[in-house]
Every structure is written in structure tokens, then in C-alpha cells.
Amino acid sequence: MSGDGGPGSFSREAWARNAAAYETIRSMPFNAELAAGTLRQDRFRHYIVQDAHYLIGFGRALSLAAAKAPEPDGIVQFSRAAQEAIVVERALHGGFFRDYAIGPDTFAATPLTPACDHYVCYLLATAYAEPFEVVCAALLPCFWIYKAVGDDIVARAEFGNPYQAWIDTYAGADFADAVAAMIAATNRAARDASPAVRERMHRAFAQATRLEWMFWDSAYRDAAWPL
């Protein structure tokens, strides 16, 4: 993980604290096989359906962050991020949905897996109950880890990769701009935070990072509810 914001910034500290977790995510079977183009289609299909469900909850959490933002620019930033989560990234899913013949009824009838449900509920609970600073820290890993994974995969992806559209999206310049803006917003929020709130931010960042791993691992194992 590479940090931004300079020495002492929240993002630099959070990245360093979670470097081992990121390395586990970067090298986990799902992402290694995605880069090689050998990931089984049923595993990617599981992932893409759950990710589409996740983005609805993520968009709601971003909207709640917009409502809590202390400055007008923050309201605009998080509102736009919510729109992009629903419109832009779901357009990516739509292409794979067509390829895999996943219609609206099939999508609606597919329940959230334990990992997806846990992640969505965690973000929404944090967005409702925690101060703006902590909400930013909980939302940041979804942006930052996807960008880091996208950059890593695009550097080693095999030619003719069937998942190239996914790789191009998260390794692209538009997403890089969104990630940089989110890192900057989180660093601004942390700047005047008390030590206690800053530590809560670190706990939120670490929890969301763990849930990122759980989400991909769940798709690889086709994990479902035991009952």
C-alpha cells in the first residue's frame, strides 16, 4: 500500500497499519486468478452479483456521509460519489450481467451473502451512528483498496483477459481521481480530530479492510448462509 497526505497524515498511518492485510488481499486466489484470466466464471458471476447489491448499500452510506459533511464541498463530493457508485459502476456490472444472462428478476431474487450483508450493514451502521470523520475512514478502503488492486492487476494481467473491463475500470484515471479525492477528504476530516476520534477512525479503516478481504474470499468459495 502506498500512502498519501505526507508524514503524520491519517491515510499514511492507516495504510501502514494495514499493509499486511492489503498484501493478503493482493495475493489472494480470487485476485491472482483474476489477473491471470483463469478465474472461474461462476466465481466472478457470484462476485459481480453481490457487488451490485453491495453498491446500493455503499451508495446509501455515501449519501449519509454527504448529509454529515461539515462543508458544502463535502456535500457535493459525497453526493457525486454516491451517484457514481450507483450509475457508473453499475454500468460496468450491466455489461457482465448481459454476458451472463442475469436479468433483473434473477438479480432481485439473489439474496445478499453473509459477507455482503455484513459489509453493507457495517457501513450503514457506521454512517448512521458515527461522526463524519469515522464515516470517512470506514468508506475509504473500498475506494483505495480497489484502486491498489486494479493497479496491481493491470500490471500483470494476461492478454485477452475476460475480465479486462473490470480491470480497466479500477485501474483507470477517472477512478484514480475519485480515490485521491476520498483520501484528501479523509485526511482533512482527521486533521482536527481528537486522539480518541482518530483512533476510532483507524478501527473503522481496519474493519472495512477486513471486510474487503471477506467479500472477495466469499465469492471465491461461493459462500452462502448455512441455514
Side-chain angles (χ1 to χ4, degrees):
M1 266 183 175
S2 62
D4 271 297
S9 67
F10 172 81
S11 63
R12 182 74 60 95
E13 292 174 0
W15 195 271
R17 287 192 187 193
N18 292 274
Y22 169 69
E23 180 57 27
T24 300
I25 291 170
R26 187 194 71 81
S27 59
M28 68 191 303
F30 186 97
N31 288 325
E33 293 177 17
L34 182 66
T38 59
L39 183 67
R40 281 187 355 217
Q41 188 181 100
D42 62 310
R43 285 172 168 158
F44 190 79
R45 186 184 188 280
H46 174 119
Y47 159 79
I48 209 74
V49 170
Q50 291 302 311
D51 199 42
H53 279 301
Y54 166 82
L55 284 175
I56 297 170
F58 188 58
R60 289 193 175 108
L62 287 164
S63 296
L64 290 166
K68 289 187 173 185
E71 301 294 338
D73 286 349
I75 297 171
V76 172
Q77 177 184 346
F78 283 91
S79 295
R80 285 177 176 167
Q83 179 182 3
E84 289 169 2
I86 300 298
V87 176
V88 177
E89 292 193 64
R90 286 187 73 186
L92 169 68
H93 294 148
F96 286 112
F97 277 23
R98 288 189 296 273
D99 292 344
Y100 301 154
I102 303 169
D105 292 342
T106 300
F107 172 69
T110 304
L112 275 65
T113 61
C116 184
D117 184 75
H118 187 174
Y119 200 175
V120 168
C121 287
Y122 171 71
L123 290 180
L124 289 175
T126 301
Y128 273 110
E130 293 285 0
F132 177 70
E133 297 90 342
V134 179
V135 179
C136 288
L139 292 168
L140 180 55
C142 184
F143 284 90
W144 204 355
I145 290 175
Y146 262 66
K147 176 58 180 167
V149 168
D151 286 346
D152 178 73
I153 288 177
V154 78
R156 57 191 172 110
E158 293 295 326
F159 179 77
N161 194 304
Y163 308 115
Q164 194 64 48
W166 187 96
I167 297 166
D168 291 343
T169 295
Y170 295 111
D174 288 345
F175 191 63
D177 290 343
V179 174
M182 186 64 196
I183 292 171
T186 306
N187 282 332
R188 285 194 300 271
R191 197 170 296 143
D192 297 322
S194 69
V197 169
R198 193 175 174 108
E199 190 54 37
R200 283 159 65 187
M201 292 176 70
H202 277 297
R203 289 198 297 269
F205 187 98
Q207 178 70 349
T209 299
R210 286 190 289 265
L211 289 167
E212 285 290 321
W213 176 86
M214 286 182 64
F215 194 93
W216 274 313
D217 179 69
S218 172
Y220 192 80
R221 295 184 296 105
D222 195 23
W225 294 96
L227 293 175

